Amino acid sequence: MGSHDLSVKVLIRSGGKSAPAAAAYFSRTILSDHHQGVDFDYSAMNDLAFSMIMAPDNAPAWASDRSALWNAVEAAEQRKDAMIAREIEIALPIELTLEQNIELLKLFTKKSFVNHGMIADVNIHANENQFHAHIMITTKDITSDGFGKINRECHKTENVLKWRESWLNAQNIHLRKAWVDNQVDQRSFADNKL
């Protein structure tokens, strides 16, 4: 059954994180981190079911290239303790097909992140018909000239609750569209019995 599971993590450079390394892992590809001078190769992993970059209309063309995007993110951050990206991990409903989950994820990502000026690197991993998604989002606004100021929407704590509610609502809409009787509910099992 669908789930309201949505976790948000911050990738911080001082914690040893690298945007190209994380993007390579989630997309199961090979990427070079120009900042560190290191290659990251996750191409042998075979559970990638879908991958795409979603960017606002005003984003430059290079923003759709994973290597260029995440290396530009690293280059835009000078601080040793910089927040280089956010990762949103989501459990996808098993009642929906891969194609239905892709449509659901694209609509949710556009509404929650891309429409607010963030670029999203979206990847679905599938293991034995169980799908989950990783969405890496940029933390700075994008302009036609490159990255600008920090995107405050990305850093508001209350947005995590909005994203969870939006994810729950989007799933329920798509489950109804697919004629699935089950609906996602954020209440606990005990509270649901009342």
Side-chain angles (χ1 to χ4, degrees):
M1 145 147 224
S3 166
H4 69 280
D5 285 350
L6 180 149
S7 66
V8 180
K9 299 173 189 149
V10 180
L11 278 68
I12 301 175
R13 185 179 284 159
S14 62
K17 300 296 183 185
S18 155
Y25 177 75
F26 296 139
S27 65
R28 307 309 199 219
T29 57
I30 304 168
L31 291 178
S32 295
D33 182 330
H34 301 159
H35 180 74
Q36 295 183 37
V38 177
D39 292 339
F40 296 93
D41 183 355
Y42 296 98
S43 59
M45 301 177 85
N46 61 3
D47 61 345
L48 183 70
F50 175 77
S51 183
M52 91 177 291
I53 294 176
M54 298 176 66
D57 292 338
N58 67 329
W62 57 258
S64 295
D65 176 278
R66 187 169 278 118
S67 177
L69 168 64
W70 295 113
N71 277 293
V73 164
E74 289 287 348
E77 298 292 353
Q78 303 303 316
R79 296 171 49 130
K80 292 179 185 175
D81 62 346
M83 264 193 279
I84 49 178
R86 282 196 182 262
E87 178 214 344
I88 295 89
E89 185 174 356
I90 301 174
L92 299 172
I94 59 172
E95 297 88 350
L96 300 180
T97 66
L98 175 60
E99 292 74 23
Q100 290 168 327
N101 270 306
I102 290 169
E103 179 187 350
L104 164 62
L105 192 58
K106 286 165 118 177
L107 290 171
F108 168 74
T109 301
K110 184 170 176 59
K111 179 182 176 188
S112 300
F113 310 116
V114 178
N115 287 350
H116 296 276
M118 296 168 241
I119 300 173
D121 190 342
V122 182
N123 296 279
I124 296 177
H125 298 166
N127 296 313
E128 298 174 12
N129 292 328
Q130 292 186 358
F131 304 117
H132 68 277
H134 298 272
I135 306 169
M136 253 177 83
I137 58 172
T138 55
T139 58
K140 290 191 170 189
D141 287 327
I142 191 71
T143 69
S144 57
D145 297 326
F147 288 105
K149 295 182 179 181
I150 291 175
N151 186 310
R152 297 293 172 202
E153 289 291 311
C154 174
H155 297 291
K156 291 180 181 174
T157 305
E158 63 267 20
N159 276 342
V160 175
L161 297 175
K162 288 180 187 174
W163 295 339
R164 283 191 179 125
E165 184 177 345
S166 179
W167 177 240
L168 181 139
N169 292 335
Q171 285 183 91
N172 284 336
I173 289 167
H174 279 75
L175 288 167
R176 281 192 298 273
K177 268 175 65 174
W179 299 95
V180 175
D181 289 334
N182 294 335
Q183 294 288 287
V184 182
D185 193 325
Q186 61 190 1
R187 294 175 295 172
S188 70
F189 183 73
D191 290 343
N192 221 348
K193 288 290 192 181
L194 299 177

